[in-house]
Amino acid sequence: MKLAKKYAESIKSYDRSKSYDLNEAAKIVIDTAKAKFDETIELHVRLGVDPRQADQQVRGVLVLPNGTGKTKKVLVIAKGDKADAATAAGADYVGAEETIQRIQSQNWFDFDVMITTPDMMGMVGRIGRILGPKGLMPNPKSGTVTMDVAKAVKEVKAGKVEYRLDKTAIIHCPIGKKSFGVEKLTENFNALMEAIVKAKPAAAKGQYIKSVTLSSTMGPGVKVTFNKG
């Protein structure tokens, strides 16, 4: 009930029907993030595309200028020189068959991102039905199936995010933490929105960017004025 009371207070502190310029919206989101932990700030973008159509998908990856504020644990499935390169680049775990077996038999998931080399995808594919629902299946489009595992590890550690359309034509993506402050959050916001605008499918008709909202983990959404698209 305590949190519900804080939420009620937050939504009274600004006009929920109004769109705010970016700096003001970021300040409101920070001010209404009242939880005792450092809340994640998320960007929600509704697009004027049809997610059921293959030629209207929107997805990509981006290293945010200021990172996400969260250090992700990385598992690399590779052998030989690639395994050594992954370790040197700062991967938390590096393995091959024995690690796949551990995931399968022990339900081990002490990692946030799995990266693998193309030659190991056959092996990784065997546990695809376990990895898929958890959003952990490596994919060439997200840069997690690659020969350059060292670069992939460094990008994830630097704050790489993947943005993709959901079934309701909305992209949800973290852009940092409350503690980042307005300047760092707006820098990350601008970088991500630029990437989303550039990723506009050729098949998309009419208004591309329908609405843009910022919110914190436990706080209400704040509409942001965005004129491109």
Side-chain angles (χ1 to χ4, degrees):
M1 288 301 293
K2 200 171 183 182
L3 197 60
K5 186 180 177 185
K6 286 181 179 177
Y7 187 92
E9 287 171 0
S10 293
I11 60 176
K12 287 178 184 174
S13 65
Y14 69 101
D15 185 349
R16 294 189 78 190
S17 65
K18 179 183 170 184
S19 287
Y20 293 85
D21 72 58
L22 177 55
N23 277 27
E24 199 172 355
K27 188 174 185 311
I28 293 169
V29 167
I30 289 169
D31 290 345
T32 55
K34 297 182 183 292
K36 290 182 179 177
F37 60 93
D38 191 9
E39 293 185 49
T40 295
I41 309 301
E42 282 206 346
L43 172 63
H44 311 274
V45 187
R46 183 183 294 279
L47 299 180
V49 297
D50 184 350
R52 295 168 298 178
Q53 305 300 320
D55 62 353
Q56 294 189 40
Q57 294 303 308
V58 180
R59 70 180 294 179
V61 291
L62 174 76
V63 178
L64 293 173
N66 301 298
T68 61
K70 181 188 176 186
T71 303
K72 291 186 176 180
K73 286 187 181 179
V74 180
L75 164 64
V76 176
I77 302 296
K79 289 183 175 180
D81 293 346
K82 297 300 177 186
D84 294 340
T87 301
D92 298 275
Y93 307 102
V94 180
E97 289 94 344
E98 73 289 350
T99 306
I100 298 288
Q101 184 59 37
R102 186 181 178 191
I103 293 168
Q104 200 164 19
S105 61
Q106 298 177 26
N107 205 30
W108 176 73
F109 289 103
D110 187 29
F111 57 93
D112 302 298
V113 178
M114 181 190 280
I115 295 167
T116 187
T117 49
D119 58 301
M120 300 298 283
M121 266 306 285
M123 188 186 300
V124 171
R126 291 180 212 155
I127 57 167
R129 67 180 187 279
I130 305 172
L131 298 171
K134 293 181 179 292
L136 293 169
M137 187 67 183
N139 187 302
K141 288 182 180 177
S142 63
T144 48
V145 179
T146 175
M147 289 301 287
D148 196 347
V149 290
K151 180 185 176 188
V153 169
K154 286 173 184 173
E155 285 183 345
V156 170
K157 292 290 186 180
K160 184 172 83 169
V161 294
E162 180 180 5
Y163 59 89
R164 61 186 302 177
L165 209 58
D166 70 7
K167 290 176 182 176
T168 61
I170 300 175
I171 288 173
H172 309 272
C173 198
I175 59 165
K177 296 283 187 180
K178 174 186 176 179
S179 60
F180 277 26
V182 171
E183 189 176 342
K184 285 185 176 180
L185 286 173
T186 55
E187 283 176 4
N188 280 357
F189 173 99
N190 286 328
L192 184 54
M193 286 305 301
E194 186 179 337
I196 292 170
V197 169
K198 280 184 180 174
K200 180 180 179 179
K205 304 294 183 216
Q207 187 181 358
Y208 178 52
I209 306 289
K210 291 281 190 181
S211 68
V212 180
T213 306
L214 284 176
S215 68
S216 61
T217 307
M218 308 298 289
V222 180
K223 294 177 184 175
V224 184
T225 304
F226 190 83
N227 297 320
K228 289 180 184 176

